[in-house]
Amino acid sequence: MNIRYDIYNIPDLIFTEETKNMPLDQWNIFIEKLDIFVTSFPVKEAKLKTSLENKDYDSVFKHLLDIVGLLKSVYALEMAYDCQNQIKDLNKDNPQKIESYISFLLSNISSLSIDIQMALYGKEEQNTKNKKNMATVNQDGLSSETDKSDDDIKIKNIIAVDDEAYCLFILKSSLRHLPCNVIAVNSAAEALKLLEKIRADLFILDIDMPDMDGIELAEKLITDGHEAPIVFLTGNAKNEYVHECLKLGASDFIVKPIYPQNVAKRIQRFL
């Protein structure tokens, strides 16, 4: 597992040649900073949202500056400097603009936090899952290469499951230029029924759904032998929450609220 490579390839982190070649002791300190970022961001996010709900804009700006410092500590420099510039332009007399920007910012930082967690813990969890899958395959006497006959299909079937129709609309609109067929359903039951008729190349699952949530659905899909990658829709970047999804074998995450420019970039690599 090459954690350095994975971290250096997180798009929102900016490394110079010097920081890319940092010695081991500095690297270990940087890993600690990444861990601090992952654990402290949800706390700072909650404080910022509380101040925003209370319309305490002095505290809002204070918390935004605190987040700028957090971003700089992990070399998310472009995001940090953009936030600094936005703070200068935000006006207490325009609360709608403040709310809109903060929603966008928190979505981007949540995506960054999840990218960091996937780099730090994802391969470890994926390797564990792969070993379990191999054990099952060996017991059945089947090759892991079974059912590869459709791999050359250019148009991929994506089954997207979310109980919110608007989220599915945004998701489909975000992917309309990619070589994929997005089939949107509103419940786990509909998705399971659909799988009786078609083969899925990718699942996009909302986690918070009534009856059967996204994690339960993912467990069911894995148990039933579906091998397509699973991308979770979530608004939660807490360490323990992401870790649970990675244990299931999550391939990626899309953060709510959904911003189209972020979705296509994350999904394109699966097509």
Side-chain angles (χ1 to χ4, degrees):
M1 168 170 35
N2 190 343
I3 292 178
R4 279 206 190 211
Y5 177 83
D6 290 338
I7 289 174
Y8 288 153
N9 281 280
I10 294 175
D12 291 312
L13 302 186
I14 298 174
F15 297 95
T16 63
E17 286 303 315
E18 182 180 356
T19 54
K20 275 194 174 183
N21 294 305
M22 65 178 79
L24 184 60
D25 57 339
Q26 291 182 25
W27 173 254
N28 290 334
I29 291 172
F30 181 62
I31 291 295
E32 289 177 7
K33 289 181 178 179
L34 291 175
D35 275 320
I36 291 170
F37 178 91
V38 165
T39 55
S40 63
F41 167 64
V43 177
K44 295 181 185 300
E45 178 185 31
K47 290 180 179 179
L48 177 57
K49 286 182 175 179
T50 298
S51 296
L52 191 61
E53 289 171 3
N54 295 334
K55 302 188 186 302
D56 183 357
Y57 296 116
D58 288 333
S59 291
V60 166
F61 294 144
K62 176 180 175 296
H63 291 312
L64 283 174
L65 288 172
D66 196 20
I67 286 174
V68 167
L70 188 65
L71 290 168
K72 287 181 178 179
S73 72
V74 293
Y75 304 139
L77 301 179
E78 185 175 343
M79 199 179 292
Y81 294 138
D82 179 70
C83 186
Q84 275 183 324
N85 292 330
Q86 289 290 341
I87 292 171
K88 294 175 185 176
D89 293 336
L90 294 176
N91 191 310
K92 297 177 185 178
D93 296 328
N94 192 344
Q96 188 174 0
K97 183 177 180 180
I98 294 175
E99 291 176 13
S100 177
Y101 171 68
I102 288 176
S103 175
F104 175 75
L105 175 69
L106 293 179
S107 177
N108 282 342
I109 300 178
S110 293
S111 293
L112 170 60
S113 176
I114 290 171
D115 281 343
I116 290 171
Q117 292 177 67
M118 291 184 72
L120 292 177
Y121 323 121
K123 283 189 176 177
E124 178 182 346
E125 300 298 352
Q126 191 64 45
N127 288 340
T128 301
K129 177 177 177 290
N130 288 342
K131 287 177 182 177
K132 291 180 180 178
N133 288 344
M134 284 301 296
T136 302
V137 166
N138 290 336
Q139 287 173 4
D140 293 340
L142 299 175
S143 167
S144 60
E145 296 300 315
T146 301
D147 197 28
K148 293 288 184 180
S149 58
D150 292 330
D151 279 0
D152 293 329
I153 296 175
K154 292 182 180 180
I155 304 298
K156 302 291 186 181
N157 284 331
I158 298 176
I159 294 182
V161 191
D162 195 320
D163 59 314
E164 296 181 15
Y166 181 69
C167 286
L168 290 174
F169 172 76
I170 295 295
L171 188 64
K172 291 190 73 169
S173 298
S174 304
L175 301 176
R176 66 184 183 278
H177 297 305
L178 296 181
C180 62
N181 177 32
V182 181
I183 307 162
V185 295
N186 296 115
S187 69
E190 289 182 73
L192 293 171
K193 188 174 181 179
L194 184 63
L195 285 167
E196 296 174 3
K197 302 176 182 178
I198 68 167
R199 175 184 183 273
D201 299 293
L202 177 69
F203 295 104
I204 302 178
L205 310 180
D206 182 39
I207 294 180
D208 296 319
M209 296 188 293
D211 299 326
M212 182 185 289
D213 65 34
I215 291 177
E216 292 170 327
L217 175 55
E219 290 173 337
K220 171 69 174 168
L221 293 172
I222 293 166
T223 300
D224 289 351
H226 297 285
E227 297 180 354
I230 297 173
V231 175
F232 283 109
L233 281 166
T234 181
N236 194 334
K238 288 183 179 178
N239 184 286
E240 61 274 13
Y241 187 82
V242 174
H243 207 83
E244 182 181 0
C245 295
L246 291 173
K247 282 183 178 179
L248 272 174
S251 296
D252 207 343
F253 298 80
I254 296 172
V255 174
K256 288 185 172 184
I258 296 173
Y259 288 93
Q261 63 268 37
N262 296 333
V263 174
K265 181 174 63 176
R266 301 189 82 90
I267 295 301
Q268 193 164 12
R269 67 190 181 92
F270 295 106
L271 304 178

